[in-house]
Amino acid sequence: MKFKMLTVSLFSALILVACDGENANEESNAEIKETDNIKELVLNYSERTLDAKSASISSERLIVTENDGQEVIYELPKDEFFISIAPYINQTHPCEIHSLTSCQGELVNEQFDVSIVDSNGDVVLDETLQTQVNGFIDLWLPREQTYRITIEHEGKKAETEFSTFKNDGTCITTMQLI
């Protein structure tokens, strides 16, 4: 019985961390930096044109561990929330806090019709978007909202609801196209 409880506890803890096991909420002797180009910085890590030991993005911070082990924290915009979505057909992984350097989605460089509607029924986004080399679609949306997203690809469709409140997850890997 103790072994079963320990196994369940360990599995639950694993699900709550980023894709490669890094914890985006931990802070040690990190250097806190400001940048006017946070979106560009996030994009460069997502596209894997910038290299680091790890880079995770929580609801409030981008946390980068450089190759030399130095940790750098960047604050995210106060009015925008980052969310990364990896639609899939066959393979996915559990994720709550997105790792820009290690999360890998199944469908790379594919086109998707993406529609996002807010809780008032207003269309926030209705575009054809392409997944990046990591198989994710990165979006910046207004904070403190609840959204309904629909993704379509080659006659298959997935829908889900998500929100952009403090401490919400930044990684959606549960949208199976059927």
Side-chain angles (χ1 to χ4, degrees):
M1 182 68 170
K2 287 182 184 179
F3 178 74
K4 186 176 180 180
M5 288 176 50
L6 178 63
T7 303
V8 170
S9 295
L10 288 173
F11 180 73
S12 298
L14 287 173
I15 288 176
L16 294 176
V17 297
C19 297
D20 69 346
E22 58 199 69
N23 186 337
N25 293 319
E26 283 185 9
E27 291 182 35
S28 55
N29 294 327
E31 177 182 353
I32 298 177
K33 284 189 177 178
E34 292 186 25
T35 180
D36 293 331
N37 301 345
I38 190 70
K39 291 181 182 180
E40 184 178 336
L41 191 59
V42 168
L43 178 63
N44 289 333
Y45 283 115
S46 287
E47 291 179 339
R48 313 255 162 93
T49 56
L50 274 180
D51 185 40
K53 185 175 180 181
S54 67
S56 298
I57 188 164
S58 71
S59 63
E60 297 180 309
R61 297 180 177 112
L62 168 63
I63 301 170
V64 178
T65 302
E66 301 291 350
N67 290 323
D68 65 3
Q70 175 65 38
E71 189 173 82
V72 183
I73 297 173
Y74 300 90
E75 298 294 325
L76 298 184
K78 299 294 180 202
D79 60 340
E80 291 181 285
F81 188 97
F82 174 85
I83 189 83
S84 195
I85 304 165
Y88 76 99
I89 296 171
N90 298 309
Q91 296 178 332
T92 191
H93 61 277
C95 185
E96 186 176 326
I97 305 299
H98 185 56
S99 171
L100 300 166
T101 51
S102 67
C103 276
Q104 183 62 49
E106 173 186 7
L107 303 170
V108 174
N109 297 322
E110 296 279 341
Q111 298 269 329
F112 297 85
D113 293 322
V114 179
S115 174
I116 300 177
V117 177
D118 68 17
S119 59
N120 295 325
D122 296 325
V123 175
V124 176
L125 183 114
D126 190 13
E127 295 180 24
T128 298
L129 301 174
Q130 182 171 318
T131 52
Q132 300 167 54
V133 297
N134 64 0
F136 282 79
I137 298 168
D138 290 350
L139 301 169
W140 291 90
L141 297 169
R143 288 183 177 272
E144 299 186 16
Q145 300 276 335
T146 300
Y147 298 98
R148 181 106 192 129
I149 183 170
T150 304
I151 296 179
E152 297 183 56
H153 175 71
E154 296 180 352
K156 297 180 182 201
K157 181 176 168 179
E159 293 181 290
T160 196
E161 191 172 280
F162 69 94
S163 58
T164 59
F165 293 93
K166 183 179 179 179
N167 298 323
D168 278 343
T170 57
C171 189
I172 299 175
T173 58
T174 56
M175 295 190 72
Q176 184 174 22
L177 295 159
I178 50 176

